[in-house]
Amino acid sequence: SSLFVLAPNLPPTSKMPGNEPAWSLRPDGSGVVEWVDSQVTDAQLLEFSKTRMPNALAALKAQVGDDACECILDLSKNQLTGATGLAPILASIRQQKVHVTVLKLFRNPINDQGAQALAKHVREAGKMKMPLMELHLSDNGLGPEGCLALMQAAQDCGAYPAQLKLRTVHYKRKCLWLRLERSALVADPSAVLDAARAAGCALSVTDGKDDPVDPQACVHLHFSFLQFSGTVA
């Protein structure tokens, strides 16, 4: 059966047998996919992207409508590292034109190759007018190159500051909320931000998600990136 077998006689949430994702359809019509704290590997994510994800996304679109298909994807606390699993599942999402607004990948040992796959998604989804609005990557294996790739992608895609009315993110959010604290291979986070700004990236760094930001900012980072990078909790 498909991940999104949504019908009136089904409960609003369901977990498929075994080590597979849980889905939910929120009252506002947006979807949520959660595959959290399940030791998911790149190989498992790749297999899922080939066998079940396309049909699942198509079912979600059929349920909520093509023009209003927002989704939150939570793959946090797993064993994802590089682009092997992330690249194809994100490509499938773009192909089906599902707007993933929030992507949670914190506490995965994602490396710079994985960051490049994520940067491609930020860039391509932005060009499709379906910008990613939150990317949670704290406690990861990124280095300066991966962090910079993500910031540059947000700047280059032309989607931020976004002027969208979305159900899944706060109406005031216009730029990408990018959580990068505790990036294991970032020894000097200030240097990363300096390099991003030198490359033309408009950044805001604040103490909280809902703090005011520069109206022209494309990326919004939490101040803890400057305090806690270089280690993983």
Side-chain angles (χ1 to χ4, degrees):
S1 58
S2 173
L3 174 62
F4 287 100
V5 187
L6 302 180
N9 61 333
L10 289 177
T13 62
S14 176
K15 184 154 186 175
M16 307 304 292
N19 183 22
E20 297 190 15
W23 59 262
S24 61
L25 186 65
R26 305 196 325 176
D28 62 13
S30 61
V32 181
V33 182
E34 297 176 290
W35 205 357
V36 177
D37 200 13
S38 298
Q39 300 295 309
V40 179
T41 65
D42 295 330
Q44 287 176 295
L45 194 61
L46 173 62
E47 180 65 18
F48 180 72
S49 72
K50 290 179 177 179
T51 58
R52 299 187 63 192
M53 191 65 172
N55 290 338
L57 294 173
L60 174 63
K61 289 184 67 178
Q63 182 76 15
V64 303
D66 285 1
D67 296 331
C69 193
E70 293 179 37
C71 185
I72 296 171
L73 178 58
D74 190 348
L75 298 169
S76 58
K77 302 180 184 179
N78 284 304
Q79 297 300 317
L80 304 175
T81 60
T84 303
L86 287 172
I89 202 165
L90 293 173
S92 180
I93 287 166
R94 294 193 300 273
Q95 184 177 16
Q96 292 284 349
K97 296 182 179 178
V98 170
H99 187 178
V100 171
T101 55
V102 180
L103 178 54
K104 298 181 180 182
L105 288 163
F106 57 89
R107 296 191 185 177
N108 277 284
I110 292 172
N111 56 31
D112 283 351
Q113 288 182 328
Q116 292 292 342
L118 291 168
K120 180 178 181 179
H121 180 73
V122 170
R123 188 177 292 108
E124 296 300 320
K127 291 178 180 178
M128 295 170 67
K129 311 299 183 186
M130 298 190 301
L132 182 63
M133 301 306 295
E134 297 184 19
L135 178 54
H136 298 259
L137 275 171
S138 55
D139 298 285
N140 60 69
L142 297 186
E145 182 179 342
C147 294
L148 285 169
L150 292 166
M151 297 177 202
Q152 194 67 59
Q155 183 68 41
D156 292 345
C157 72
Y160 311 100
Q163 303 297 322
L164 298 173
K165 292 183 179 180
L166 300 169
R167 294 183 294 270
T168 46
V169 295
H170 194 278
Y171 74 96
K172 290 184 178 180
R173 175 141 305 282
K174 306 298 182 185
C175 58
L176 175 63
W177 175 237
L178 181 59
R179 298 297 297 265
L180 290 173
E181 60 269 23
R182 291 182 292 278
S183 296
L185 301 181
V186 176
D188 188 349
S190 294
V192 173
L193 297 188
D194 290 343
R197 290 187 172 111
C201 296
L203 310 176
S204 278
V205 182
T206 73
D207 288 329
K209 179 178 178 179
D210 297 326
D211 290 348
V213 300
D214 184 333
Q216 300 305 312
C218 292
V219 176
H220 181 195
L221 297 111
H222 196 281
F223 184 73
S224 56
F225 174 64
L226 295 169
Q227 296 176 306
F228 301 120
S229 290
T231 60
V232 175

